[in-house]
Amino acid sequence: MVLAGGQARRLGGADKPLIEIGGRTLACAVISAAAAAGADPVVLVGPDRPDLMTELTRSGLANRVELTSEQPAGGGPVPGLRAGLDLLAATDWALLLAADLPFLTGELLGELVAAADGVVGAVAADGTGRAQWLTSCWRVAALRAALAGYEGNSLRGLLAPLGASLVTMTSEPGKTGLPGMTGHLGQPPFWLDCDTPEDVLAARSWIAPKGSARE
């Protein structure tokens, strides 16, 4: 489940999932990682984006994606989660992902899925050990039960009491998941999300065509 319905206030209202990093949009990067980890379907929660669907068609991913929107539109991650779960009636497990993580890979998400086995869920930790709630894997039944009695708007407030495992994930040093690209200062942080113009610049600074100088 990829939540792509935010209002991107810190980016001046730009359509954040459509920002390009390394030649593809943020949303396409996250959907590609989820598909590589075996997610099927990939539920994309947010407004209609014809250009994104064209990109996903070119990438061979459109047939894996199901679309829905939170109510009200732009209402945040908790309404987005409710909407996404409506399309997962036959699914026992779900990845819960933000749509602005350019350095996610299928390998990283595979580690997260494996870590969730036998427990209620698993949440990725960033470099400081802080839980990244929008890089997580959950038992769908646990999410439904938590939402049934929840009236708040905080995703952390919803998920933290469930007691998921906090996971420090690893991947091949220098690998970005971007075709033909590689990191130049070691492994780019998978938790780098693109909330601000500075974040976008930081993400772009991590990658360059192989063999070229880093900008």
Side-chain angles (χ1 to χ4, degrees), residues 25 31 43 53 55 64 79-80 88 125 146 156 161 165 175 193 215:
T25 63
I31 291 168
V43 174
M53 294 310 298
E55 179 184 17
R64 297 279 288 272
L88 295 178
R156 180 183 183 277
S165 297
K175 187 171 183 179
D193 54 8
E215 291 183 6

Side-chain angles (χ1 to χ4, degrees), residues 93 112 115-123 136-139 142 162-167:
W93 290 91
L112 193 60
D117 187 33
V119 294
V120 70
V123 182
S136 56
C137 181
W138 300 92
R139 291 186 183 273
L162 298 182
S165 297
L166 189 63
V167 180

